[in-house]
Amino acid sequence: MEVERLMRSAEELARKHGVDYYEIRISRVVMTEVSMSNGQLRGLSSNSETGIGARAFNGAWGFSSANDFGRFERAIETAMKIAKLSQGDSKIYTGDPVVDDAEMPVKKPFSEINIEDKVALVKEADSMLTGEKIVNRNVSYRDTIVETFYFNSLGSEIRTVVPRIRFGFSVTAKESGEMQQYWKSFGGTLGWEMVEGIDFSYWTSTVVEKAKELLKASSPPSGEFPVIADPELTGLFIHEALGHAVEADLVKNGDSILAGKLGQRIAVDELTVVDDPTLPGKFGSYIYDDEGIRAKRVEIIRDGVLVNYLNDRETAQYFDLEPNGHGRAQSYAHQPLVRMGNTYVEAGDWSFEEMLEEVKYGLYMIGDKGGQVDTANGTFTFGAKEGYIIENGELREMVRDVALSGKILDVLRGIRAIGRDVRIEYPGYCGKGQTVPVDDGGPHILTKALVGGLR
């Protein structure tokens, strides 16, 4: 077989070039994409691709990739030559070899669904997003199946199959020169059953109505206020502000405010934060990372104390930590980096109504509108899809274009309440020079932060 021949070849090339460690990923990706804008089909494709990503380590990494079977051996040798020439002094965790064959189960494989049905799905959603004041609408669908065979010089041989599906839509409403957007996305390591479980009538009407309501919303107040974040905004904060700051490569390079803080209390006692790529069906889930390390649940903060960094083989060795399977790559053509999977805040014991009662004047902020974070300085600015004034424990008028900013550690230490209503259902793609699928969430939380308008 071709793979067995490549395994033998890699072993021979390693001896020839004096390379102690190497790892090879051979991936076959099958992908379907459908997109529609304002009733017009804008994208329709169904493709497959097979490629190899080869890495070798000799105190520093060498990497090469190819998507031509005839160049696979050359990619392996090139990676080894680069590693040999790089002459670094780093070390990596090796560990014991792993042999496994694992697939993520689905109830209804989307590979068995005709492409006509996928187009019909997109058209149906598009037809439900029309209405007065709606001037733009977009719908997108994507499914992928990634089959990967990983082997390394330790003797690991791991085959995995991971399905992933994502579906979303957005609208833009306009009135008197003012424009507002709203959107919703669904996704997971699931099959077509995810699509069949969506209440299209509810979600399309919600997106349309929210966009129109935002046209009439007020601008937010400015200043420091008590803020209740909904589960989606909680997830954004934990992913962007905390999650990136505990990626061990950033910590190692001095780009994280959490460098040197393992074992220290950085948040309120009630806060526990987890990254768990093993959660069934979530968009950021996987079986093994791209370095052949089994995915595992990792507590980042436990009862307010920073207890772990997310790591890969190299940073686990550097910090003398147990490897926790967070070396992820966008594709076979990319090197693994330390990345998150499914990041979330664990449940507390407050209800949303109890949180409201705690606020005399503040804001309730809903949804993820993106933002910026500086992990080295520990500051952030995030936007929310919508907001509401809280006055004497009651929700008042809607506000729009609302931004939340502050210092990461101040917000973590200023949490007053953590809800019991955990939701992890906000799929997306995280960028760090390359993109990987992630999910995040948590419960409602009550904290204090600077609030202002988005510009």
Side-chain angles (χ1 to χ4, degrees):
M1 291 176 62
E2 181 69 20
V3 170
E4 292 175 349
R5 187 180 65 78
L6 284 172
M7 292 172 69
R8 290 193 301 270
S9 178
E11 190 174 351
E12 293 168 1
L13 288 168
R15 284 196 299 267
K16 174 182 174 182
H17 293 287
V19 169
D20 294 329
Y21 179 82
Y22 61 82
E23 56 184 28
I24 315 294
R25 287 175 289 132
I26 303 170
S27 293
R28 179 173 183 265
V29 182
V30 180
M31 178 187 298
T32 298
E33 292 184 291
V34 186
S35 61
M36 178 168 280
S37 180
N38 299 320
Q40 298 295 314
L41 203 59
R42 298 299 185 189
L44 177 58
S45 64
S46 184
N47 301 304
S48 65
E49 181 180 16
T50 300
I52 187 172
R55 287 210 305 174
F57 188 80
N58 193 49
W61 289 107
F63 176 77
S64 184
S65 66
N67 61 0
D68 180 345
F69 280 107
R71 294 179 59 85
F72 278 17
E73 283 187 59
R74 186 180 300 178
I76 295 172
E77 185 166 24
T78 299
M80 293 181 180
K81 287 180 177 180
I82 293 172
K84 193 69 174 177
L85 290 168
S86 297
Q87 297 181 338
D89 58 2
S90 295
K91 296 179 180 179
I92 62 168
Y93 169 86
T94 51
D96 297 324
V98 176
V99 177
D100 199 5
D101 191 327
E103 300 188 19
M104 284 190 169
V106 298
K107 294 179 180 178
K108 193 170 185 178
F110 47 71
S111 57
E112 298 176 3
I113 305 299
N114 293 326
I115 195 167
E116 293 87 351
D117 293 329
K118 297 174 184 180
V119 172
L121 166 77
V122 170
K123 287 183 176 179
E124 178 186 5
D126 174 82
S127 69
M128 301 174 78
L129 294 170
T130 58
E132 184 184 2
K133 302 177 185 176
I134 301 301
V135 296
N136 192 49
R137 61 191 192 275
N138 292 282
V139 185
S140 63
Y141 169 91
R142 172 193 276 189
D143 64 49
T144 60
I145 299 175
V146 181
E147 180 181 9
T148 300
F149 182 74
Y150 169 98
F151 66 93
N152 64 21
S153 53
L154 305 173
S156 291
E157 298 178 22
I158 304 167
R159 175 185 172 270
T160 58
V161 179
V162 178
R164 194 168 268 112
I165 184 171
R166 190 167 189 256
F167 179 68
F169 40 82
S170 66
V171 299
T172 302
K174 182 178 181 180
E175 183 178 49
S176 303
E178 181 70 39
M179 299 176 69
Q180 290 290 326
Q181 288 184 312
Y182 212 86
W183 58 92
K184 177 63 181 175
S185 295
F186 307 86
T189 45
L190 298 163
W192 191 253
E193 68 271 10
M194 186 204 78
V195 170
E196 294 181 333
I198 297 173
D199 186 338
F200 280 89
S201 177
Y202 172 80
W203 284 113
T204 53
S205 63
T206 295
V207 166
V208 168
E209 291 307 311
K210 289 288 188 182
K212 292 194 291 187
E213 288 172 14
L214 284 168
L215 291 171
K216 299 178 181 179
S218 307
S219 297
S222 296
E224 187 176 56
F225 299 101
V227 171
I228 298 177
D230 86 315
E232 184 175 5
L233 187 58
T234 294
L236 172 67
F237 172 75
I238 287 301
H239 173 98
E240 294 288 355
L242 179 71
H244 284 298
V246 297
E247 290 172 338
D249 52 352
L250 297 185
V251 178
K252 177 186 174 185
N253 294 334
D255 292 326
S256 171
I257 195 173
L258 298 178
K261 288 186 166 57
L262 275 183
Q264 295 183 22
R265 184 168 303 282
I266 65 168
V268 294
D269 294 351
E270 295 79 9
L271 183 69
T272 294
V273 178
V274 172
D275 188 280
D276 188 357
T278 71
L279 292 175
K282 299 304 179 183
F283 198 63
S285 296
Y286 50 92
I287 307 169
Y288 286 84
D289 76 356
D290 291 304
E291 295 186 320
I293 302 294
R294 183 88 190 192
K296 62 183 294 185
R297 179 183 184 274
V298 178
E299 287 188 342
I300 299 168
I301 296 175
R302 182 192 305 128
D303 300 330
V305 176
L306 180 66
V307 293
N308 222 327
Y309 296 136
L310 304 180
N311 61 53
D312 57 8
R313 287 185 183 268
E314 187 173 352
T315 54
Q317 183 73 21
Y318 181 85
F319 288 108
D320 193 25
L321 296 171
E322 180 183 350
N324 54 38
H326 282 80
R328 304 182 65 195
Q330 177 176 322
S331 73
Y332 67 85
H334 298 79
Q335 291 203 63
L337 303 173
V338 182
R339 310 302 300 274
M340 285 169 272
N342 304 306
T343 316
Y344 61 98
V345 174
E346 287 206 324
D349 54 11
W350 287 67
S351 70
F352 176 62
E353 292 73 22
E354 288 170 335
M355 289 187 197
L356 282 177
E357 291 173 1
E358 290 290 306
V359 181
K360 291 186 177 180
Y361 187 85
L363 286 98
Y364 176 37
M365 296 175 65
I366 298 174
D368 166 7
K369 206 172 183 179
Q372 297 178 332
V373 62
D374 184 335
T375 56
N377 293 318
T379 58
F380 69 90
T381 300
F382 300 137
K385 289 180 184 176
E386 58 183 304
Y388 296 85
I389 300 295
I390 305 172
E391 202 166 12
N392 296 321
E394 295 185 358
L395 294 177
R396 300 298 187 183
E397 68 266 28
M398 186 185 213
V399 292
R400 68 188 186 196
D401 303 326
V402 57
L404 176 75
S405 62
K407 295 182 178 180
I408 298 169
L409 295 180
D410 287 349
V411 172
L412 293 175
R413 291 166 178 156
I415 293 174
R416 291 168 51 190
I418 300 173
R420 49 179 177 259
D421 53 343
V422 174
R423 294 168 62 187
I424 308 163
E425 51 188 49
Y426 307 105
Y429 290 92
C430 176
K432 188 179 172 182
Q434 48 178 285
T435 60
V436 295
V438 296
D439 218 329
D440 52 49
H444 283 86
I445 62 170
L446 169 60
T447 186
K448 183 177 286 189
L450 292 171
V451 175
L454 285 172
R455 297 178 180 176

